mmCIF file of all heavy atoms in Angstrom:
data_model
loop_
_atom_site.group_PDB
_atom_site.id
_atom_site.type_symbol
_atom_site.label_atom_id
_atom_site.label_comp_id
_atom_site.label_asym_id
_atom_site.label_seq_id
_atom_site.Cartn_x
_atom_site.Cartn_y
_atom_site.Cartn_z
ATOM 1 N N GLN A 1 68.004 169.522 72.821
ATOM 2 C CA GLN A 1 67.637 168.685 71.679
ATOM 3 C C GLN A 1 68.541 168.948 70.477
ATOM 4 O O GLN A 1 68.956 168.021 69.787
ATOM 5 C CB GLN A 1 66.173 168.927 71.262
ATOM 6 C CG GLN A 1 65.155 168.421 72.250
ATOM 7 C CD GLN A 1 65.012 169.350 73.463
ATOM 8 O OE1 GLN A 1 64.903 170.554 73.316
ATOM 9 N NE2 GLN A 1 65.060 168.766 74.661
ATOM 10 N N ARG A 2 68.836 170.224 70.224
ATOM 11 C CA ARG A 2 69.593 170.567 69.006
ATOM 12 C C ARG A 2 71.075 170.245 69.125
ATOM 13 O O ARG A 2 71.690 169.838 68.136
ATOM 14 C CB ARG A 2 69.378 172.043 68.692
ATOM 15 C CG ARG A 2 67.960 172.339 68.219
ATOM 16 C CD ARG A 2 67.778 173.761 67.726
ATOM 17 N NE ARG A 2 66.411 173.926 67.272
ATOM 18 C CZ ARG A 2 65.459 174.546 67.954
ATOM 19 N NH1 ARG A 2 65.733 175.099 69.141
ATOM 20 N NH2 ARG A 2 64.228 174.639 67.467
ATOM 21 N N LEU A 3 71.680 170.423 70.294
ATOM 22 C CA LEU A 3 73.114 170.136 70.418
ATOM 23 C C LEU A 3 73.417 168.653 70.181
ATOM 24 O O LEU A 3 74.337 168.351 69.413
ATOM 25 C CB LEU A 3 73.644 170.612 71.775
ATOM 26 C CG LEU A 3 75.158 170.472 71.971
ATOM 27 C CD1 LEU A 3 75.923 171.328 70.949
ATOM 28 C CD2 LEU A 3 75.553 170.823 73.387
ATOM 29 N N PRO A 4 72.663 167.708 70.761
ATOM 30 C CA PRO A 4 72.951 166.291 70.474
ATOM 31 C C PRO A 4 72.805 165.940 68.998
ATOM 32 O O PRO A 4 73.565 165.114 68.479
ATOM 33 C CB PRO A 4 71.943 165.527 71.311
ATOM 34 C CG PRO A 4 71.477 166.473 72.350
ATOM 35 C CD PRO A 4 71.625 167.845 71.786
ATOM 36 N N ARG A 5 71.860 166.555 68.325
ATOM 37 C CA ARG A 5 71.697 166.292 66.891
ATOM 38 C C ARG A 5 72.887 166.799 66.108
ATOM 39 O O ARG A 5 73.190 166.278 65.027
ATOM 40 C CB ARG A 5 70.428 166.949 66.367
ATOM 41 C CG ARG A 5 69.160 166.316 66.885
ATOM 42 C CD ARG A 5 67.919 166.993 66.347
ATOM 43 N NE ARG A 5 66.743 166.457 66.998
ATOM 44 C CZ ARG A 5 65.725 167.207 67.398
ATOM 45 N NH1 ARG A 5 65.734 168.509 67.202
ATOM 46 N NH2 ARG A 5 64.685 166.651 67.978
ATOM 47 N N CYS A 6 73.534 167.779 66.644
ATOM 48 C CA CYS A 6 74.672 168.415 65.964
ATOM 49 C C CYS A 6 76.000 167.710 66.244
ATOM 50 O O CYS A 6 76.783 167.476 65.326
ATOM 51 C CB CYS A 6 74.730 169.879 66.423
ATOM 52 S SG CYS A 6 75.761 170.945 65.454
ATOM 53 N N VAL A 7 76.253 167.373 67.501
ATOM 54 C CA VAL A 7 77.571 166.838 67.876
ATOM 55 C C VAL A 7 77.531 165.421 68.437
ATOM 56 O O VAL A 7 78.570 164.851 68.743
ATOM 57 C CB VAL A 7 78.303 167.759 68.899
ATOM 58 C CG1 VAL A 7 78.478 169.156 68.323
ATOM 59 C CG2 VAL A 7 77.582 167.804 70.231
ATOM 60 N N GLY A 8 76.332 164.861 68.582
ATOM 61 C CA GLY A 8 76.205 163.536 69.165
ATOM 62 C C GLY A 8 75.813 163.604 70.634
ATOM 63 O O GLY A 8 76.084 164.599 71.314
ATOM 64 N N ILE A 9 75.201 162.546 71.111
ATOM 65 C CA ILE A 9 74.634 162.545 72.462
ATOM 66 C C ILE A 9 75.726 162.650 73.544
ATOM 67 O O ILE A 9 75.618 163.479 74.462
ATOM 68 C CB ILE A 9 73.783 161.280 72.694
ATOM 69 C CG1 ILE A 9 72.538 161.352 71.816
ATOM 70 C CG2 ILE A 9 73.377 161.153 74.174
ATOM 71 C CD1 ILE A 9 71.730 160.058 71.796
ATOM 72 N N GLY A 10 76.764 161.831 73.439
ATOM 73 C CA GLY A 10 77.799 161.820 74.479
ATOM 74 C C GLY A 10 78.487 163.159 74.624
ATOM 75 O O GLY A 10 78.664 163.658 75.742
ATOM 76 N N LEU A 11 78.900 163.756 73.525
ATOM 77 C CA LEU A 11 79.582 165.039 73.569
ATOM 78 C C LEU A 11 78.639 166.136 74.038
ATOM 79 O O LEU A 11 79.032 167.007 74.828
ATOM 80 C CB LEU A 11 80.197 165.378 72.213
ATOM 81 C CG LEU A 11 81.071 166.628 72.153
ATOM 82 C CD1 LEU A 11 82.162 166.606 73.220
ATOM 83 C CD2 LEU A 11 81.684 166.758 70.763
ATOM 84 N N ALA A 12 77.377 166.086 73.592
ATOM 85 C CA ALA A 12 76.408 167.082 74.047
ATOM 86 C C ALA A 12 76.210 167.003 75.565
ATOM 87 O O ALA A 12 76.186 168.042 76.240
ATOM 88 C CB ALA A 12 75.079 166.883 73.324
ATOM 89 N N LYS A 13 76.113 165.804 76.087
ATOM 90 C CA LYS A 13 75.966 165.643 77.533
ATOM 91 C C LYS A 13 77.170 166.214 78.245
ATOM 92 O O LYS A 13 77.043 166.916 79.255
ATOM 93 C CB LYS A 13 75.750 164.182 77.897
ATOM 94 C CG LYS A 13 74.385 163.661 77.553
ATOM 95 C CD LYS A 13 74.242 162.192 77.933
ATOM 96 C CE LYS A 13 72.836 161.685 77.633
ATOM 97 N NZ LYS A 13 72.679 160.261 77.993
ATOM 98 N N GLU A 14 78.356 165.900 77.745
ATOM 99 C CA GLU A 14 79.575 166.413 78.372
ATOM 100 C C GLU A 14 79.586 167.936 78.382
ATOM 101 O O GLU A 14 79.878 168.566 79.405
ATOM 102 C CB GLU A 14 80.814 165.879 77.639
ATOM 103 C CG GLU A 14 82.117 166.357 78.225
ATOM 104 C CD GLU A 14 83.328 165.787 77.506
ATOM 105 O OE1 GLU A 14 83.233 164.710 76.878
ATOM 106 O OE2 GLU A 14 84.390 166.433 77.573
ATOM 107 N N LEU A 15 79.262 168.543 77.253
ATOM 108 C CA LEU A 15 79.298 170.008 77.160
ATOM 109 C C LEU A 15 78.253 170.656 78.056
ATOM 110 O O LEU A 15 78.518 171.672 78.699
ATOM 111 C CB LEU A 15 79.100 170.456 75.699
ATOM 112 C CG LEU A 15 80.252 170.120 74.753
ATOM 113 C CD1 LEU A 15 79.872 170.428 73.307
ATOM 114 C CD2 LEU A 15 81.530 170.856 75.149
ATOM 115 N N ILE A 16 77.055 170.062 78.102
ATOM 116 C CA ILE A 16 76.006 170.630 78.941
ATOM 117 C C ILE A 16 76.283 170.367 80.432
ATOM 118 O O ILE A 16 76.147 171.269 81.256
ATOM 119 C CB ILE A 16 74.617 170.085 78.531
ATOM 120 C CG1 ILE A 16 74.235 170.647 77.162
ATOM 121 C CG2 ILE A 16 73.560 170.431 79.579
ATOM 122 C CD1 ILE A 16 73.008 170.012 76.523
ATOM 123 N N PHE A 17 76.700 169.160 80.787
ATOM 124 C CA PHE A 17 76.964 168.831 82.191
ATOM 125 C C PHE A 17 78.080 169.684 82.760
ATOM 126 O O PHE A 17 78.032 170.067 83.920
ATOM 127 C CB PHE A 17 77.332 167.354 82.357
ATOM 128 C CG PHE A 17 76.260 166.347 81.999
ATOM 129 C CD1 PHE A 17 76.577 165.013 81.903
ATOM 130 C CD2 PHE A 17 74.939 166.737 81.772
ATOM 131 C CE1 PHE A 17 75.607 164.070 81.586
ATOM 132 C CE2 PHE A 17 73.972 165.808 81.435
ATOM 133 C CZ PHE A 17 74.307 164.467 81.357
ATOM 134 N N THR A 18 79.121 169.957 81.974
ATOM 135 C CA THR A 18 80.278 170.733 82.453
ATOM 136 C C THR A 18 80.117 172.225 82.282
ATOM 137 O O THR A 18 80.801 172.982 82.937
ATOM 138 C CB THR A 18 81.571 170.295 81.743
ATOM 139 O OG1 THR A 18 81.454 170.623 80.356
ATOM 140 C CG2 THR A 18 81.863 168.822 81.950
ATOM 141 N N GLY A 19 79.224 172.646 81.370
ATOM 142 C CA GLY A 19 79.115 174.065 81.049
ATOM 143 C C GLY A 19 80.337 174.587 80.322
ATOM 144 O O GLY A 19 80.571 175.796 80.294
ATOM 145 N N ARG A 20 81.107 173.694 79.740
ATOM 146 C CA ARG A 20 82.370 174.061 79.088
ATOM 147 C C ARG A 20 82.135 174.980 77.882
ATOM 148 O O ARG A 20 81.190 174.827 77.136
ATOM 149 C CB ARG A 20 83.090 172.798 78.619
ATOM 150 C CG ARG A 20 84.450 173.067 77.978
ATOM 151 C CD ARG A 20 85.159 171.819 77.510
ATOM 152 N NE ARG A 20 85.239 170.841 78.598
ATOM 153 C CZ ARG A 20 84.975 169.543 78.452
ATOM 154 N NH1 ARG A 20 84.645 169.051 77.278
ATOM 155 N NH2 ARG A 20 85.060 168.736 79.479
ATOM 156 N N GLN A 21 83.062 175.917 77.731
ATOM 157 C CA GLN A 21 83.094 176.778 76.564
ATOM 158 C C GLN A 21 84.155 176.278 75.598
ATOM 159 O O GLN A 21 85.215 175.810 76.038
ATOM 160 C CB GLN A 21 83.425 178.232 76.966
ATOM 161 C CG GLN A 21 82.379 178.889 77.816
ATOM 162 C CD GLN A 21 82.733 180.302 78.176
ATOM 163 O OE1 GLN A 21 83.305 181.029 77.373
ATOM 164 N NE2 GLN A 21 82.406 180.705 79.407
ATOM 165 N N VAL A 22 83.857 176.349 74.315
ATOM 166 C CA VAL A 22 84.824 175.957 73.294
ATOM 167 C C VAL A 22 85.041 177.119 72.342
ATOM 168 O O VAL A 22 84.167 177.969 72.183
ATOM 169 C CB VAL A 22 84.347 174.688 72.511
ATOM 170 C CG1 VAL A 22 84.224 173.494 73.432
ATOM 171 C CG2 VAL A 22 83.035 174.949 71.789
ATOM 172 N N ASP A 23 86.221 177.153 71.725
ATOM 173 C CA ASP A 23 86.468 178.199 70.743
ATOM 174 C C ASP A 23 85.994 177.725 69.370
ATOM 175 O O ASP A 23 85.527 176.600 69.188
ATOM 176 C CB ASP A 23 87.934 178.626 70.733
ATOM 177 C CG ASP A 23 88.898 177.554 70.272
ATOM 178 O OD1 ASP A 23 88.519 176.642 69.512
ATOM 179 O OD2 ASP A 23 90.084 177.639 70.673
ATOM 180 N N GLY A 24 86.086 178.603 68.389
ATOM 181 C CA GLY A 24 85.589 178.302 67.053
ATOM 182 C C GLY A 24 86.267 177.104 66.425
ATOM 183 O O GLY A 24 85.594 176.292 65.749
ATOM 184 N N GLN A 25 87.550 176.968 66.617
ATOM 185 C CA GLN A 25 88.265 175.841 66.030
ATOM 186 C C GLN A 25 87.846 174.525 66.666
ATOM 187 O O GLN A 25 87.639 173.529 65.985
ATOM 188 C CB GLN A 25 89.789 176.035 66.143
ATOM 189 C CG GLN A 25 90.592 175.094 65.264
ATOM 190 C CD GLN A 25 90.221 175.207 63.796
ATOM 191 O OE1 GLN A 25 90.179 176.283 63.210
ATOM 192 N NE2 GLN A 25 89.936 174.078 63.168
#
């Protein structure tokens, strides 16, 4: 719930579906 509110639904789905890690930048 919190990630989509922060970055948007599409990007949140991508990040959760892939389990991708991102750096601070």
Side-chain angles (χ1 to χ4, degrees):
Q1 290 77 47
R2 290 187 178 103
L3 185 63
R5 291 180 188 138
C6 194
V7 302
I9 293 171
L11 186 53
K13 286 180 178 180
E14 180 179 335
L15 292 172
I16 291 170
F17 296 169
T18 64
R20 183 180 308 135
Q21 295 180 37
V22 297
D23 65 26
Q25 195 57 51

